[in-house]
């Protein structure tokens, strides 16, 4: 009885410490950092992906990575509750659960009021949702066409550009 109790105690201690059979410790020489999931592909319609490791099915959890949508429409729900819909051709990088980088393409963002502010980084501007629903087209030259459907968007310049020299808030119906 004592040996069974000792064996059971050791197994429990190993499982809580992560030494359960089949678990391997991360290789410190691999150079890969621990990545966490930050969004879910909730819907995809007629998608043709051009990235190295494209999403394979709706419901798939995604980590920070570059995604190239050649054609079709894809919807992501970030872990903060924010929904982002893109239409190909679009190149996007899911940076964190509160941030994405869009190099070019069309998108619609549905903010989630209890969520922290979501930032969308484009080549020239960073768009911050303020209880927002907005759409944007980012052209290959970095120019942004912004349409605020609800709420407001704070726009910060990423560098000197002709559109904005300083932060501005654009409200519903003004862009």
């Amino acid at each position: 009885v004592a040996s069974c109790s000792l064996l059971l105690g050791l197994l429990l201690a190993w499982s809580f410490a992560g030494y359960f059979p089949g678990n391997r410790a991360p290789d410190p020489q691999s150079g890969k950092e621990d990545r966490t999931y930050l969004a879910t592909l909730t819907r995809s319609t007629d998608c043709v992906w051009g990235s190295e490791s494209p999403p394979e099915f709706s419901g798939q959890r995604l980590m920070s990575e570059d995604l190239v949508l050649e054609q079709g429409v894809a919807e992501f729900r970030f872990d903060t509750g924010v929904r982002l819909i893109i239409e190909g051709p679009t190149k996007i990088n899911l940076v964190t659960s509160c941030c994405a980088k869009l190099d070019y393409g069309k998108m619609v963002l549905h903010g989630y009021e209890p969520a922290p502010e979501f930032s969308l980084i484009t080549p020239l501007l960073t768009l911050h949702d303020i209880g927002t629903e907005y759409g944007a087209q980012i052209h290959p030259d970095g120019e942004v066409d912004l349409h605020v459907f609800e709420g407001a968007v704070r726009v910060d310049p990423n560098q000197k550009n002709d559109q904005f020299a300083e932060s501005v808030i654009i409200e519903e119906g003004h862009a």
Side-chain angles (χ1 to χ4, degrees):
V1 172
S3 62
C4 286
S5 296
L6 179 62
L7 183 60
L8 182 60
L10 284 174
L11 284 174
L12 284 173
W14 280 353
S15 67
F16 284 120
Y19 297 115
F20 203 69
N23 286 355
R24 292 184 358 187
D27 181 7
Q29 303 299 324
S30 71
K32 291 186 179 179
E33 57 190 63
D34 286 338
R35 297 185 336 158
T36 59
Y37 292 106
L38 49 97
T40 302
L41 176 66
T42 53
R43 276 189 263 177
S44 60
T45 305
D46 302 325
C47 289
V48 175
W49 297 94
S51 35
E52 281 184 29
S53 58
E56 297 175 5
F57 55 89
S58 293
Q60 181 175 348
R61 299 284 291 143
L62 302 169
M63 296 181 181
S64 178
E65 60 186 301
D66 285 325
L67 297 172
V68 178
L69 179 61
E70 300 292 342
Q71 69 181 42
V73 177
E75 179 179 334
F76 306 95
R77 180 174 296 275
F78 287 83
D79 291 352
T80 57
V82 170
R83 290 184 317 148
L84 182 68
I85 301 167
I86 61 173
E87 180 181 350
T90 297
K91 181 178 181 188
I92 190 168
N93 179 286
L94 309 178
V95 180
T96 69
S97 61
C98 297
C99 180
K101 181 179 180 225
L102 193 73
D103 291 341
Y104 60 85
K106 296 177 185 174
M107 55 71 60
V108 174
L109 182 130
H110 300 272
Y112 181 61
E113 201 161 317
E117 183 177 272
F118 189 90
S119 300
L120 184 73
I121 302 167
T122 73
L124 298 177
L125 305 170
T126 299
L127 310 174
H128 306 274
D129 89 283
I130 305 172
T132 306
E133 183 174 331
Y134 69 91
Q137 179 174 1
I138 292 74
H139 299 275
D141 66 359
E143 291 293 312
V144 177
D145 296 331
L146 175 65
H147 303 279
V148 180
F149 307 125
E150 185 179 312
V153 175
R154 189 177 82 239
V155 179
D156 294 328
N158 292 343
Q159 56 187 334
K160 284 249 182 213
N161 63 61
D162 295 334
Q163 284 185 319
F164 298 95
E166 57 186 41
S167 293
V168 294
I169 294 180
I170 300 177
E171 295 184 358
E172 174 181 341
H174 289 97

